[in-house]
Amino acid sequence: MADESPSSMASIAMDSSSSSSLHPPPAVPMKLHIENREKLLKHLRENLSSSSRPLHGFALLQGGEEQTRYCTDHEDIFRQESYFAYLFGVREPGFYGAIDVATGKSILFAPRLPAEYAVWMGEIKSLSYFEETYMVSKAYFADEITQVLSNQYQGSGKPLLFLLHGLNTDSKNFSKPAEFEGIEKFETDLKTLHPILTECRVLKSKLELAVIQYANDISSEAHVEVMRKIKPGMKEYQLESIFLHHTYFYGSCRHCSYTCICATGDNSSVLHYGHAAAPNDRTLRDGDMALLDMGAEFHFYGSDITCSFPVNGKFTSDQRLIYNAVLNAHDAVISSMKPGVNWVDMHKLAEKVILQMLKKGSLLVGDVDEMMAERLGSVFMPHGLGHLMGLDTHDPGGYLQGAERPKEPGLRSLRTSRNLLDGMVITVEPGCYFIDPLLAPAIESPKTSKFFNREAITKFRGFGGVRIESDLYVTANGCVNMTKVPRKIEDVEAVMGGAPWPIKKSMHDYENGGS
């Protein structure tokens, strides 16, 4: 098929006939953050009581600060630090927040802005505005922290501050404890708060689930919009643009959960494609598979969805084989999920299903259990099956203190090895990729060469890959799939051919915390 002209592609991307059943987006009640603070307070008090420590002190967090681009005065769009957003829901930079362990009262400390702020940046909000908007007990200025907390402390000796400091097991970065002038007048505890607050974030409340569900719904709708508009001749970045336009225009999602991965052809075997050195800029070709990993963020909470499909709307027999291998793994895991199930076991289940399907398709030969023992699954799926999700795409809490990561290929990439718990939100994202740096050594290895049908596997070098990713929340009896996109081949082809796929969701459901 001949390449489409840029002008015709632009008209496709900006088609004004698009609409959304999810607009306007729901209002998010501040009760969500009140409940989060109450949850932290409950678990912090339990921890102190169990170790015979007095119920005094303040959990103190510092919010995020605006950052400029290198040495310039260009400020990127601010997004609040996640732990602070969890507890206080504050949109603005420069804040501190405290929770009094003794009384349970919550306090915000706002930056004291200069008069000229009003000229350049708009109205300077009053302290009462922050109290009412964020539903805290009291608001003061940030330069009053020392005085206010010292006056309110009810214990003996120096006032005690529980500060946030701990390792993020995904990024290997540490949370930044609050810093302010006068902190030397306080006793500080850097060990207690982080593990407790992290574990609070692992289990979602009904209100949190409702926000995550909306992020999933608007993102699902945007993925369907891309399916309807994709054509050979387009650029990968045009797919990204359609998605971002839809989620922002209809869903008020100014932020994305992560950098969009819009990979087609062989790019779909690049697991984190879309970065600055691979910027979603390839031209789509007839016969390509597309792997689109994109998720919008709504009121700090994210979604993480991957759809894979042929850019021309029709699966070939080879594409069907690989797609169904991944879809069967995806569905097998979801069917097996419930509280108490171990995530490492779920990863192995996904690997086994994919290997069985590849054997059925004559790409592999031999005993699947032997393949599992040799970790052959990691050749085709080198990443982990999924990760906790919430305020961050890779939400913290995947590895408890003292837990060790598995060391075997594939398994060492898992972002959690925990048993599932009622209230977790976790992604299920099996994939099957043909990655030459992994495939070539495995084909030649004495341990794994016997499993390959070399003639058949050669046809797939350059195929790229397939990933199918949905967001699940774990319930008492199983799990619920929050992602609402077509998955079966016949549904994908129908939607790409123009069939309707509405996301039917009542605003009443969201407003009442339903998911």
Side-chain angles (χ1 to χ4, degrees):
M1 178 179 178
D3 282 2
E4 298 285 344
S5 68
S7 59
S8 66
M9 289 303 99
S11 66
I12 290 171
M14 299 307 294
D15 181 0
S16 61
S17 65
S18 301
S19 62
S20 172
S21 63
L22 301 170
H23 183 77
V28 178
M30 281 297 117
K31 182 183 176 186
L32 184 156
H33 302 286
I34 293 173
E35 289 181 354
N36 289 348
R37 293 196 294 271
E38 290 173 345
K39 185 178 181 180
L40 171 63
L41 186 64
K42 174 179 178 289
H43 290 291
L44 182 54
R45 284 174 171 172
E46 287 175 352
N47 178 276
L48 295 174
S49 295
S50 65
S51 55
S52 302
R53 299 171 68 186
L55 303 183
H56 293 310
F58 303 90
L60 179 69
L61 280 80
Q62 183 175 359
E65 300 283 350
E66 285 186 306
Q67 303 290 327
T68 58
R69 182 182 292 173
Y70 305 116
C71 67
T72 74
D73 62 355
H74 170 83
E75 293 177 347
D76 289 321
I77 296 173
F78 174 73
R79 197 274 194 184
Q80 187 59 265
E81 192 277 328
S82 292
Y83 283 100
F84 195 81
Y86 176 80
L87 292 175
F88 296 100
V90 172
R91 294 185 300 269
E92 300 90 341
F95 275 69
Y96 293 78
I99 301 172
D100 189 334
V101 175
T103 66
K105 291 182 178 180
S106 54
I107 309 165
L108 276 179
F109 296 94
R112 194 187 293 271
L113 301 172
E116 57 264 29
Y117 179 97
V119 176
W120 300 100
M121 306 297 282
E123 178 188 0
I124 297 176
K125 304 291 198 306
S126 66
L127 293 177
S128 61
Y129 167 87
F130 296 121
E131 290 174 7
E132 294 165 9
T133 300
Y134 297 118
M135 297 180 69
V136 293
S137 307
K138 198 68 179 172
Y140 299 93
F141 288 114
D143 55 20
E144 299 177 300
I145 291 178
T146 302
Q147 178 185 347
V148 169
L149 296 187
S150 296
N151 291 343
Q152 293 200 17
Y153 184 62
Q154 298 180 4
S156 58
K158 280 186 176 183
L160 175 61
L161 302 179
F162 297 99
L163 303 180
L164 189 70
H165 180 67
L167 178 68
N168 183 308
T169 58
D170 288 308
S171 67
K172 304 298 188 292
N173 295 325
F174 283 84
S175 300
K176 176 190 173 186
E179 297 176 347
F180 60 91
E181 190 173 342
I183 195 171
E184 69 279 358
K185 297 179 181 178
F186 296 83
E187 181 185 346
T188 57
D189 179 324
L190 293 172
K191 295 182 178 180
T192 302
L193 181 59
H194 186 271
I196 297 172
L197 184 52
T198 296
E199 195 63 13
C200 285
R201 285 178 58 180
V202 168
L203 303 182
K204 273 61 178 181
S205 68
K206 288 184 178 180
L207 286 173
E208 287 182 289
L209 288 171
V211 178
I212 296 171
Q213 183 64 67
Y214 183 79
N216 261 268
D217 282 355
I218 195 67
S219 298
S220 295
E221 198 176 68
H223 272 280
V224 170
E225 191 72 6
V226 174
M227 287 183 185
R228 289 178 175 143
K229 293 182 175 177
I230 190 172
K231 288 185 178 181
M234 294 177 73
K235 289 286 192 178
E236 291 168 337
Y237 57 70
Q238 290 180 301
L239 311 180
E240 179 178 15
S241 177
I242 294 168
F243 179 88
L244 296 176
H245 171 73
H246 192 93
T247 57
Y248 197 0
F249 190 86
Y250 295 110
S252 185
C253 299
R254 195 174 198 185
H255 293 280
C256 228
S257 301
Y258 49 91
T259 302
C260 291
I261 298 171
C262 294
T264 61
D266 194 35
N267 290 341
S268 57
S269 66
V270 181
L271 301 180
H272 286 168
Y273 184 75
H275 55 85
N280 293 333
D281 61 356
R282 180 180 177 275
T283 302
L284 281 58
R285 298 173 186 166
D286 199 352
D288 281 346
M289 279 293 286
L291 187 160
L292 307 181
D293 189 339
M294 304 181 287
E297 178 183 292
F298 181 70
H299 189 78
F300 309 117
Y301 287 85
S303 58
D304 190 354
I305 300 171
T306 307
C307 297
S308 297
F309 48 84
V311 301
N312 63 13
K314 294 293 180 181
F315 285 81
T316 66
S317 59
D318 286 346
Q319 290 169 346
R320 283 175 174 269
L321 169 64
I322 305 306
Y323 185 88
N324 279 329
V326 177
L327 182 60
N328 288 355
H330 170 273
D331 293 349
V333 169
I334 291 174
S335 296
S336 303
M337 287 173 61
K338 61 183 179 180
V341 168
N342 182 261
W343 197 241
V344 178
D345 292 338
M346 291 297 93
H347 180 99
K348 291 178 178 178
L349 171 62
E351 284 184 329
K352 190 167 188 176
V353 171
I354 290 170
L355 292 173
Q356 287 170 337
M357 289 292 289
L358 295 181
K359 179 181 176 180
K360 186 177 180 181
S362 300
L363 274 71
L364 300 177
V365 295
D367 184 77
V368 172
D369 288 333
E370 286 186 39
M371 297 179 198
M372 291 289 292
E374 295 295 343
R375 301 298 310 133
L376 189 66
S378 67
V379 173
F380 297 97
M381 188 174 78
H383 61 71
L385 174 66
H387 49 80
L388 300 178
M389 196 195 73
L391 287 147
D392 295 306
T393 309
H394 301 148
D395 234 20
Y399 287 91
L400 298 173
Q401 285 186 313
E404 290 190 14
R405 285 179 179 268
K407 294 181 172 56
E408 301 95 327
L411 301 180
R412 59 175 170 247
S413 297
L414 280 165
R415 296 183 185 274
T416 184
S417 61
R418 295 181 63 163
N419 292 339
L420 296 179
L421 298 171
D422 184 358
M424 279 182 172
V425 173
I426 193 164
T427 67
V428 174
E429 50 180 304
C432 181
Y433 316 87
F434 296 86
I435 305 170
D436 264 340
L438 296 178
L439 201 54
I443 291 173
E444 300 303 325
S445 168
K447 292 184 177 181
T448 54
S449 60
K450 63 182 179 181
F451 298 123
F452 291 95
N453 178 340
R454 294 191 178 221
E455 182 180 349
I457 207 80
T458 299
K459 287 172 50 183
F460 284 83
R461 297 180 83 161
F463 174 94
V466 168
R467 180 161 66 252
I468 298 174
E469 179 179 17
S470 301
D471 302 338
L472 284 294
Y473 80 81
V474 183
T475 66
N477 301 313
C479 64
V480 172
N481 192 342
M482 308 177 88
T483 301
K484 301 177 181 178
V485 294
R487 293 301 196 194
K488 293 181 180 178
I489 285 178
E490 56 267 31
D491 291 337
V492 172
E493 291 185 338
V495 167
M496 295 185 75
W501 187 268
I503 304 292
K504 295 180 180 178
K505 190 71 179 178
S506 164
M507 290 300 103
H508 179 77
D509 292 335
Y510 292 116
E511 291 164 1
N512 286 278
S515 53

